[in-house]
Amino acid sequence: MCYKGSIAAEERRIQDRVSRNFKDKIKYTPSYNINAFANPQIYIVAQDDPDVINLGVWGLVPNWKTNDPKGFLSKKQYTNNARGEDLYETPSYKDHVVNERCWILFDGFFEPHYHSPKIQQPYFCYIPEGRSISKRQILTIAGIYSKIQDEYYVSLITTEANDFFSEIHNKQKRMPLVLDTSLREKWLLKDQPKTMILDLVANGFTKDKFYAHPVSNQLYKGSNEESTIRAVEPFQSPSLFN
DNA sequence: CCAGACGTTGTT
DNA sequence: GTCTGG
DNA sequence: CCAGACGTTGTT
DNA sequence: GTCTGG
């Protein structure tokens, strides 16, 4: 599901909205097209350093492979996403959910929408902040991480799609766990019981209203222009009568 | 019991 | 390291 | 090579 | 009986 994200807001606004500054020496680079499969650097707030914005690699390396993180990621183990319902059972994640939770900072993400089994169009999903698409809420998405030699390796939590995202992501019916602003700090508290965490997974999704619109498939070509998130015409199936 | 997995879903 | 599957 | 299957998944 | 998967 959530394999593409964007974060392009001004540095100042990001820091303001999450009440934290970028850690010293981290240079913020906006991006409209962050591709999970490439294990890119993303911006996170981690439980063990919760007062600053850190960098992490998108792709968790479990604790039984700490001797060779690069080798693990090259095996395409698909640890970019973690199913929230299974966090305490999944072998690669169960140790990390306990006290290695984080936020992933995006201001939007992409989901594929299927017009038919073969025809698909990506949709950009975001929460407007104000009237224009150019100001989007800074999303705090639930994640977990492993830390190896001072480097964070991160997995994004997904849950069953709500009604809105079932319409958009109509094949897999999953969505990222975008934490509600009023609850998000709880995700970063130490030593929370399993019941508390699973409650956040089940009920912590934001109550703010999402917007989504179709975008150009230039997205899949790696385009990183502002136009990547701009609305295009929805796909129209060919009509016999046009 | 030992070998092999360990993860989730993409797309033109 | 620990679990699952054959 | 042997064991086991022998089938497919609507709609946008 | 024949094919696939391990």
Side-chain angles (χ1 to χ4, degrees):
Chain A
M1 53 114 354
C2 194
Y3 284 101
K4 291 263 188 185
S6 82
I7 181 151
E10 287 171 20
E11 179 166 349
R12 258 205 340 253
R13 204 160 71 83
I14 296 172
Q15 297 188 145
D16 176 68
R17 294 302 189 272
V18 302
S19 308
R20 289 149 169 95
N21 291 335
F22 285 88
K23 194 180 177 99
D24 291 345
K25 285 182 264 180
I26 289 180
K27 184 181 178 306
Y28 166 63
T29 311
S31 175
Y32 290 98
N33 193 346
I34 303 165
N35 175 17
F37 288 103
N39 303 121
Q41 301 266 15
I42 54 177
Y43 302 103
I44 67 169
V45 175
Q47 229 184 334
D48 72 337
D49 193 10
D51 300 326
V52 292
I53 302 169
N54 263 288
L55 269 177
V57 174
W58 195 356
L60 185 148
V61 176
N63 62 1
W64 41 268
K65 200 60 180 175
T66 51
N67 57 336
D68 185 17
K70 297 288 183 299
F72 177 84
L73 290 175
S74 69
K75 291 279 195 295
K76 305 256 189 279
Q77 281 293 124
Y78 298 107
T79 51
N80 309 301
N81 289 176
R83 295 175 64 90
E85 307 89 316
D86 307 330
L87 283 175
Y88 286 87
E89 283 85 41
T90 311
S92 291
Y93 299 140
K94 53 192 286 190
D95 296 337
H96 302 288
V97 67
V98 178
N99 265 323
E100 293 174 308
R101 295 185 301 276
C102 64
W103 297 341
I104 295 167
L105 305 184
F106 283 161
D107 62 10
F109 53 87
F110 302 89
E111 297 287 3
H113 178 77
Y114 284 82
H115 295 277
S116 72
K118 286 287 174 59
I119 299 173
Q120 175 272 148
Q121 186 172 35
Y123 274 59
F124 182 65
C125 311
Y126 67 102
I127 300 174
E129 198 179 87
R131 240 171 275 99
S132 144
I133 184 185
S134 62
K135 285 241 191 327
R136 302 176 297 281
Q137 195 176 111
I138 307 303
L139 307 175
T140 48
I141 303 177
I144 56 176
Y145 63 86
S146 58
K147 196 176 190 184
I148 304 169
Q149 292 173 352
D150 264 3
E151 180 93 66
Y152 294 99
Y153 295 90
V154 179
S155 190
L156 177 155
I157 310 292
T158 69
T159 62
E160 188 177 341
N162 60 17
D163 289 346
F164 180 86
F165 281 102
S166 294
E167 298 260 324
I168 305 292
H169 193 203
N170 53 350
K171 195 168 183 181
Q172 297 305 136
K173 308 251 176 98
R174 304 288 298 173
M175 64 179 184
L177 178 52
V178 178
L179 292 166
D180 193 79
T181 312
S182 68
L183 300 168
R184 64 188 189 186
E185 296 289 346
K186 296 187 184 203
W187 187 256
L188 299 180
L189 297 177
K190 300 219 97 180
D191 302 320
Q192 294 302 295
K194 179 174 166 180
T195 49
M196 164 74 190
I197 297 306
L198 289 179
D199 183 55
L200 276 174
V201 169
N203 305 307
F205 191 80
T206 182
K207 277 121 195 124
D208 295 332
K209 183 173 158 44
F210 259 94
Y211 281 60
H213 58 238
V215 296
S216 161
N217 63 9
Q218 286 298 112
L219 178 72
Y220 299 131
K221 309 229 160 82
S223 167
N224 198 11
E225 306 303 309
E226 195 270 348
S227 59
T228 309
I229 66 169
R230 288 277 165 197
V232 299
E233 289 299 307
F235 173 84
Q236 300 293 325
S237 48
S239 164
L240 290 176
F241 307 109
N242 64 358

